[in-house]
Amino acid sequence: MAPQTTAPPTPKAAAATILFNVRDAVWRAALQSQMPELTFRHIDEDGDPGEIDFAFVWRPPRGLLASLPNLKAVFSVSAGVDHILLDETVPEHLPIVRMADPSQAEAMVEYAMMATLWLHRRMPHYQDSQCQLIWAPQPAVRTSEHRACVLGLGEFGSRIAQRLRDFGFETHGWSRTPKILDGIACYTGRKGLASALQRCNYLICVLPLTSETAGILNAETLALLPRGACIINMGRGAHIVDADLLSALDSGHIGGAILDVFNHEPLPNDHPYWRHPKVLVTPHIAAELYPPTAAGAVAENIRRMQVGLPLQHVFDRARGY
């Protein structure tokens, strides 16, 4: 009989200090439950900057990360890291880790489906009819006769596209690099973007924000959409040129928009989106993080780094995401 073998135990993470500027006590409790060996320090607490090993931050003050001489990695309290890169003093060698909460992807899919179906089943019309006490049924719609297009086919976008496909929409997608997804027409490049938009009744944007994608939804690209097409933006506010979208909504070329992200957040009280009859505003809640599961992803990466394994979900400065 062969001798029994057991897998080596997972190395325990060494003691470390993590700096955070998130005041929500739920986050601290979630991280502490995952890694009780961590020492926590809020940025308002005094202490030696040289003792900080990791940072867990949202919109850190300018110069904070550069002032920590022994900082090994910074963790974003968001799938995006643009809020960190607003500080141009962040050292270029410093690994920046995007949040990868498994519950976040499903939340994004839920929001995308809710928004698409809200528009598809003409809920804005019925909501307006109710306010006016008007009984106004509309002709039936067939899902299979409508096309949905997802801009961005990364982890979130590919799941959204697959769910739309499974629901019966003719589904298209566009991404920076070529992708192959079963049952989904995938496009890339400038010509591919034009082809994707021309076939789109519902446009769902989940792109990362880069120099190439900023302002991607502008007068030129919006004009490529069929008249009456609708926009759902779950990526970043800067993907949309606001004046161009408002003009397209006012002209009737764009039939409606559901927007979760904006160029300025919170959205200013005097912004036209608030009161536009064809726009639904939500306050950046498409994929709110769930601390109990998100903390596990942070803890896993800290352990990996401490035992010499590569970090996961690291922001690539060259690609911009």
Side-chain angles (χ1 to χ4, degrees), residues 151 174 193 197 205 207 212-218 221-222 238-241:
L151 297 185
W174 181 87
L193 178 61
L197 295 180
C205 179
L207 286 165
E212 295 177 354
T213 65
I216 193 169
L217 297 178
N218 53 49
T221 51
L222 293 173
H239 288 134
I240 290 179
V241 178

Side-chain angles (χ1 to χ4, degrees), residues 18-318:
I18 186 167
L19 182 76
F20 65 105
N21 70 342
V22 183
R23 291 194 174 277
D24 191 340
V26 175
W27 275 111
R28 180 166 181 160
L31 285 165
Q32 214 152 26
S33 70
Q34 293 286 338
M35 297 192 75
E37 65 272 24
L38 279 180
T39 298
F40 292 84
R41 186 191 299 172
H42 194 272
I43 61 169
D44 292 339
E45 299 176 40
D46 294 330
D48 180 2
E51 294 177 352
I52 302 300
D53 300 290
F54 304 100
F56 182 69
V57 294
W58 170 256
R59 294 183 182 269
R62 184 182 184 279
L64 172 67
L65 300 176
S67 72
L68 307 174
N70 296 315
L71 188 63
K72 300 176 179 66
V74 56
F75 295 90
S76 170
V77 190
S78 168
V81 305
D82 42 300
H83 65 98
I84 293 173
L85 296 176
L86 290 172
D87 178 4
E88 73 280 5
T89 71
V90 175
E92 293 208 2
H93 70 272
L94 182 66
I96 301 175
V97 183
R98 298 177 288 107
M99 179 59 72
D101 177 8
S103 67
Q104 192 178 28
E106 192 56 36
M108 290 286 277
V109 172
E110 289 174 356
Y111 186 98
M113 292 303 300
M114 175 279 299
T116 304
L117 292 174
W118 180 264
L119 295 164
H120 180 59
R121 293 304 304 266
R122 299 174 178 151
M123 289 301 111
H125 164 80
Y126 294 119
Q127 190 172 43
D128 183 62
S129 297
Q130 179 178 346
C131 291
Q132 299 183 60
L133 307 180
I134 297 174
W135 186 271
Q138 295 291 295
V141 293
R142 288 179 58 85
T143 303
S144 60
E145 294 175 357
H146 287 76
R147 303 179 182 93
C149 178
V150 181
L151 297 185
L153 294 175
E155 181 181 1
F156 294 158
S158 60
R159 292 194 190 195
I160 291 169
Q162 288 162 348
R163 193 70 62 87
L164 288 164
R165 174 203 63 196
D166 294 345
F167 211 83
F169 288 99
E170 180 183 321
T171 307
H172 301 250
W174 181 87
S175 57
R176 175 180 171 273
T177 55
K179 298 289 176 65
I180 298 176
L181 296 173
D182 185 40
I184 297 165
C186 298
Y187 303 85
T188 190
R190 290 187 62 83
K191 289 185 178 179
L193 178 61
S195 297
L197 295 180
Q198 290 167 359
R199 293 169 169 81
C200 176
N201 302 113
Y202 306 106
L203 180 64
I204 301 100
C205 179
V206 287
L207 286 165
L209 183 60
T210 69
S211 59
E212 295 177 354
T213 65
I216 193 169
L217 297 178
N218 53 49
E220 179 183 354
T221 51
L222 293 173
L224 294 171
L225 292 163
R227 185 172 180 81
C230 296
I231 305 291
I232 300 163
N233 189 17
M234 307 159 57
R236 286 291 183 266
H239 288 134
I240 290 179
V241 178
D242 290 336
D244 293 352
L245 176 57
L246 287 164
S247 177
L249 287 163
D250 291 341
S251 72
H253 184 73
I254 297 300
I258 295 181
L259 308 176
D260 186 57
V261 288
F262 305 92
N263 278 289
H264 300 286
E265 296 183 4
L267 187 65
N269 291 342
D270 61 351
H271 199 287
Y273 285 149
W274 279 118
R275 295 172 179 82
H276 200 288
K278 295 182 180 179
V279 176
L280 174 64
V281 168
T282 58
H284 205 147
I285 50 78
E288 291 185 292
L289 293 168
Y290 183 59
T293 54
V298 176
E300 171 65 17
N301 255 331
I302 290 177
R303 293 190 182 99
R304 290 178 67 87
M305 188 168 220
Q306 291 188 329
V307 299
L309 294 174
L311 290 168
Q312 297 175 322
H313 312 295
V314 177
F315 172 73
D316 187 325
R317 291 175 183 264

